[in-house]
Amino acid sequence: MNEDILIEAANLKDVVHDPNVARLIIDKDKVLSSNLVKGIELFPEEIKDGVKVKLVVKEAEIIEKPIHLCFGITEESALQNIIMDVDVKKNASVSLLAHCVFPVAKNITHKMDAKIHVGENAHYSYFERHIHSKTGGITVLPKTNVILESGARFKTEFELIKGRVGLIDIDIQTKCKSNSIMEVTSRINGTDNDSIIIKETGYLEGENSRGVLTSRVAVRDDAKAEVYNKIVATGSHSRGHVDCKEVVQDNAQASATPIVEVKNPTAHVTHEASIGSVDSKQLETLMSRGLTEDAAVELIIQGLLS
Amino acid sequence: MDILLKTENLTLSFNGKNILYKLNLVIKKGIIHAIIGPNGAGKSTLASTIMGLEGFRNFEGEIYFEDKPIKNLGIYERASLGITLGWQEPARYEGLKVYQFIKACAKNKDKNSIIEALNIVGIDYNEYHLRAVDKSLSGGERKKIELASIVAMQPKLVILDEPDSGIDVASLKNIFAAIKYLHEKGATIILITHSLEVLKQAEYASLLCNGTILDEGRVSKIRKYFEGKCMPCPHKNIPLIAEIEKEFK
């Protein structure tokens, strides 16, 4: 019953009927179902108020279809601790789609503590989409530590654009060894009195390592956003870029703190940040095509967060 | 022929300087009317003022659209009456897909109408519909996509500010085809330009200099000012208002 609610809310109907798609569906602290495919090992363990998950992608295994993880809570009030340990072995490749679904939340805390190790020349892609209730009352505290071995590629996107944010405090740190590449992106839409804190840090330690931190945030009403993007480049010929854009409407407030540290003369890191209302030319163009101001703002923000 | 738009003693000043000065312009319904003039003549200011953009509403005089004053109307209200503007440098929209953009502007929001609007400007739907209207597109591509959004809107009055700006020779044909299409569909078009090629698309033209209409008439007459570097009067780019008034009394 609860599984059906989560499958419906996360739009996983096709996924659960496909034996070639690996999945894990969790409701609060219960593993409801799982499916494995060749090349991966999945060890879910129910713990107090949560689930501990160990995921291993074996060496040189290319997992063709994305693995679906559903971390849901079907109750109005609950605490959920997710402890993730991901190990993508050398030359392996995998992508994960995580669906964090809290459709009736009133007083929910979702904590995630993840350790991710991406082996030499391995590829790991992680897309996390949150679907929240419209009433708020949700606290989301994801903390992630990533280590990229030589030649590894890591791409992660966090998206929370449906429902109320509540309070979210993202903290992700990535250490990049030689020739590795990280791409970290967050897209969040805050309304009412939502509070958004994003802390993204990348350490470009290895020679020729590359990294981009991207944040896209829209806040309206009385919502608040604080974005801290930091890249520290110590590796020779490492390259990094920080890109933060925040759109502020009504009484909302936003801040951006880009920190760039370069400790190697051959390294190069750039940053750009913009905070403000929507661009007047964008707005006036759409209004001159017959959109109301509200509809134009909505469309511009929808694009920014897409 | 019925009058679609008329300005009456339109005067707009910035920091005490008249950018538009007692400008009287009549645009007849269903024609392509070019506004030509040198840089700084006030052409883009006139376009922005007719559209009612922010910073261009505090003017003296009046603008009438279909005999109704529109001075107190905002951009959305003017667009609802059927007025629209194509910018010299179109806006960029991070993440907003071509399909979403055209659909939002379209009167008919079905897929076929969107495909048709893009086809008219020479943009292939399948190739472009999922691309973002952002810096990944060239200026010419964005110009064509903006024009497609105008085609999809089906307006009564289209003001195109420098429609050939940033457009290569091949794409210029698409721009002219779209202008012709809009005209055939009954739209009245104002072409703001200092290009002879664009002027040739019009039937009627007005020469704007220092914020005032100096002359108007058939294109065959007004185009002669191009040959004389746009100068019908001895005071080159900066005629004194008093002299203009004297000349046209």
Side-chain angles (χ1 to χ4, degrees):
Chain A
M1 181 64 179
N2 286 355
E3 187 172 7
D4 292 341
I5 294 168
L6 295 177
I7 288 168
E8 176 75 26
N11 196 20
L12 292 175
K13 278 180 190 167
D14 292 339
V15 169
V16 293
H17 295 115
D18 188 342
N20 298 316
V21 175
R23 71 172 193 277
L24 174 67
I25 298 179
I26 293 168
D27 181 19
K28 198 177 89 167
D29 53 3
K30 296 282 181 285
V31 176
L32 302 182
S33 71
S34 65
N35 184 51
L36 286 180
V37 296
K38 181 185 168 294
I40 66 167
E41 292 174 337
L42 193 60
F43 306 100
E45 178 192 343
E46 294 177 359
I47 58 173
K48 186 178 181 300
D49 296 322
V51 176
K52 199 172 173 180
V53 180
K54 168 85 176 169
L55 170 68
V56 178
V57 183
K58 295 177 184 173
E59 185 174 326
E61 290 286 354
I62 310 295
I63 310 302
E64 293 196 352
K65 294 190 175 181
I67 298 172
H68 287 259
L69 305 175
C70 180
F71 305 115
I73 299 176
T74 52
E75 298 171 12
E76 292 182 352
S77 301
L79 165 65
Q80 183 184 54
N81 278 311
I82 302 291
I83 299 171
M84 285 277 291
D85 184 355
V86 177
D87 190 3
V88 184
K89 301 289 189 187
K90 184 178 175 182
N91 295 324
S93 176
V94 67
S95 63
L96 275 73
L97 298 178
H99 313 265
C100 297
V101 183
F102 315 112
V104 293
K106 284 187 179 169
N107 181 21
I108 277 180
T109 298
H110 165 79
K111 290 175 74 174
M112 165 82 80
D113 197 343
K115 284 182 189 169
I116 298 165
H117 176 261
V118 186
E120 201 177 314
N121 296 318
H123 290 195
Y124 177 73
S125 162
Y126 182 84
F127 181 88
E128 182 169 324
R129 173 178 289 146
H130 278 240
I131 300 171
H132 289 189
S133 69
K134 292 177 180 174
T135 53
I138 303 174
T139 300
V140 178
L141 306 169
K143 188 173 180 184
T144 308
N145 277 291
V146 185
I147 294 175
L148 305 183
E149 298 294 346
S150 176
R153 294 193 69 152
F154 169 64
K155 182 177 181 179
T156 181
E157 291 185 39
F158 182 96
E159 179 186 290
L160 203 176
I161 55 178
K162 285 186 178 173
R164 284 280 311 281
V165 170
L167 165 65
I168 186 160
D169 187 346
I170 296 176
D171 186 351
I172 178 165
Q173 296 195 17
T174 307
K175 289 187 178 179
C176 306
K177 296 188 182 173
S178 63
N179 298 303
S180 63
I181 299 174
M182 69 151 184
E183 293 174 61
V184 177
T185 303
S186 302
R187 296 187 183 90
I188 304 180
N189 186 26
T191 57
D192 210 301
N193 63 348
D194 289 340
S195 180
I196 300 161
I197 301 167
I198 299 172
K199 287 172 275 191
E200 296 171 337
T201 308
Y203 297 96
L204 305 176
E205 297 176 347
E207 184 180 358
N208 290 320
S209 54
R210 303 276 187 273
V212 179
L213 304 176
T214 305
S215 306
R216 295 290 180 263
V217 176
V219 279
R220 278 177 276 196
D221 306 322
D222 296 308
K224 289 181 181 173
E226 297 169 43
V227 179
Y228 304 89
N229 301 119
K230 180 178 178 182
I231 288 188
V232 181
T234 51
S236 60
H237 300 99
S238 56
R239 295 285 182 270
H241 183 63
V242 171
D243 180 3
C244 175
K245 191 173 280 184
E246 297 179 79
V247 172
V248 180
Q249 300 287 114
D250 309 317
N251 296 317
Q253 294 176 32
S255 67
T257 310
I259 299 172
V260 172
E261 290 179 22
V262 176
K263 299 176 180 175
N264 186 306
T266 63
H268 187 72
V269 181
T270 54
H271 74 82
E272 58 181 303
S274 72
I275 305 178
S277 186
V278 295
D279 178 80
S280 62
K281 187 189 258 187
Q282 294 175 347
L283 191 63
E284 289 184 329
T285 299
L286 292 170
M287 289 174 72
S288 76
R289 301 288 182 276
L291 277 76
T292 63
E293 185 170 348
D294 285 349
V297 168
E298 191 61 42
L299 189 68
I300 293 164
I301 290 175
Q302 194 184 325
L304 184 75
L305 297 176
S306 68
Chain B
M1 196 180 282
D2 293 342
I3 292 170
L4 183 69
L5 182 113
K6 187 169 80 173
T7 71
E8 205 170 75
N9 292 321
L10 187 61
T11 299
L12 180 72
S13 306
F14 290 127
N15 300 322
K17 188 187 175 201
N18 289 331
I19 309 299
L20 302 177
Y21 184 72
K22 293 188 177 177
L23 191 149
N24 293 307
L25 176 69
V26 171
I27 304 291
K28 291 176 182 168
K29 196 176 277 184
I31 70 161
I32 303 178
H33 189 131
I35 308 282
I36 67 162
N39 291 335
K43 303 189 298 295
S44 295
T45 300
L46 176 62
S48 302
T49 307
I50 294 170
M51 194 66 245
L53 304 188
E54 189 69 36
F56 296 88
R57 287 185 212 153
N58 191 20
F59 58 81
E60 292 172 26
E62 186 53 272
I63 303 174
Y64 296 92
F65 184 76
E66 294 182 323
D67 294 329
K68 291 172 192 153
I70 60 169
K71 186 174 185 172
N72 296 322
L73 301 184
I75 305 172
Y76 164 70
E77 287 82 9
R78 294 184 198 201
S80 299
L81 292 176
I83 304 171
T84 198
L85 169 65
W87 267 252
Q88 182 177 352
E89 170 67 30
R92 298 169 179 174
Y93 303 85
E94 183 177 335
L96 188 67
K97 305 287 185 289
V98 168
Y99 178 80
Q100 290 175 297
F101 176 58
I102 303 294
K103 187 177 179 181
C105 302
K107 187 173 183 182
N108 297 325
K109 298 193 184 293
D110 60 283
K111 188 179 168 183
N112 286 339
S113 299
I114 293 161
I115 292 171
E116 189 188 359
L118 288 166
N119 271 341
I120 286 161
V121 298
I123 293 282
D124 180 65
Y125 174 85
N126 290 324
E127 192 182 337
Y128 280 86
H129 77 289
L130 290 177
R131 292 185 64 179
V133 191
D134 61 14
K135 61 186 176 186
S136 67
L137 295 175
S138 70
E141 287 171 321
R142 275 187 289 115
K143 194 96 171 171
K144 288 195 277 186
I145 286 163
E146 191 192 43
L147 194 50
S149 76
I150 291 173
V151 169
M153 181 193 171
Q154 299 179 19
K156 291 179 185 171
L157 175 64
V158 182
I159 309 160
L160 296 177
D161 191 1
E162 308 283 5
D164 60 333
S165 168
I167 293 286
D168 59 33
V169 176
S171 297
L172 200 55
K173 288 178 187 169
N174 300 125
I175 299 292
F176 291 161
I179 291 170
K180 190 178 173 195
Y181 175 88
L182 284 161
H183 187 228
E184 285 171 357
K185 288 285 177 183
T188 302
I189 297 161
I190 298 176
L191 299 174
I192 305 282
T193 186
H194 50 220
S195 151
L196 187 56
E197 283 305 303
V198 175
L199 176 65
K200 284 177 186 172
Q201 309 305 310
E203 304 158 83
Y204 204 81
S206 299
L207 174 67
L208 186 66
C209 188
N210 212 23
T212 295
I213 302 291
L214 291 191
D215 200 0
E216 55 192 1
R218 306 294 301 177
V219 167
S220 54
K221 175 191 170 192
I222 299 299
R223 67 179 287 181
K224 288 178 182 167
Y225 291 120
F226 273 107
E227 290 149 19
K229 296 185 179 175
C230 261
M231 291 303 110
C233 50
H235 21 71
K236 302 297 176 189
N237 265 350
I238 45 169
L240 297 171
I241 295 299
E243 288 183 32
I244 294 170
E245 285 184 316
K246 187 179 165 188
E247 192 167 327
F248 284 86
K249 264 180 185 172

